[in-house]
Amino acid sequence: MSEYRTATGRLIGAAEVEAAARQAERGYEPEQLDSLPRKRGRRPTVGEAAAAVVPIRLDQARVDAIDARAAQLGTTRSDFIRDAIDRRLAAA
């Protein structure tokens, strides 16, 4: 039996996917939709203006080191990288 991972990381089986699809095809009453979990919403703003996406390439060892240190600090990879950049710019 196939397993799938939801957006939140939960594993679900093919039977659960099929049941959800059948329910969606039947439709939902508005009060049913109100009880569904909400998406977390938009990403938090970074600074005062719209944020630019700046893709960079890193070797896997750096990514692993960043992720490990960010986890130790209880932060995200993106916040860790932004903080490292801010520190480097402040030292200039």
Side-chain angles (χ1 to χ4, degrees), residues 3-72:
E3 288 187 328
Y4 304 92
R5 193 169 297 276
T6 67
T8 60
R10 188 171 69 88
L11 285 175
I12 58 174
E16 193 173 350
V17 171
E18 286 299 319
R22 283 192 302 276
Q23 174 63 43
E25 288 169 353
R26 285 192 301 270
Y28 294 98
E29 295 297 324
E31 56 272 3
Q32 287 177 292
L33 295 175
D34 289 338
S35 67
L36 294 175
R38 302 265 180 200
K39 288 186 177 181
R40 287 182 256 160
R42 296 181 170 243
R43 293 175 189 251
T45 58
V46 178
E48 296 178 17
V53 176
V54 182
I56 63 169
R57 293 181 186 270
L58 300 172
D59 58 87
Q60 193 59 49
R62 279 192 176 128
V63 173
D64 293 344
I66 289 167
D67 289 346
R69 187 65 177 131
Q72 288 174 349

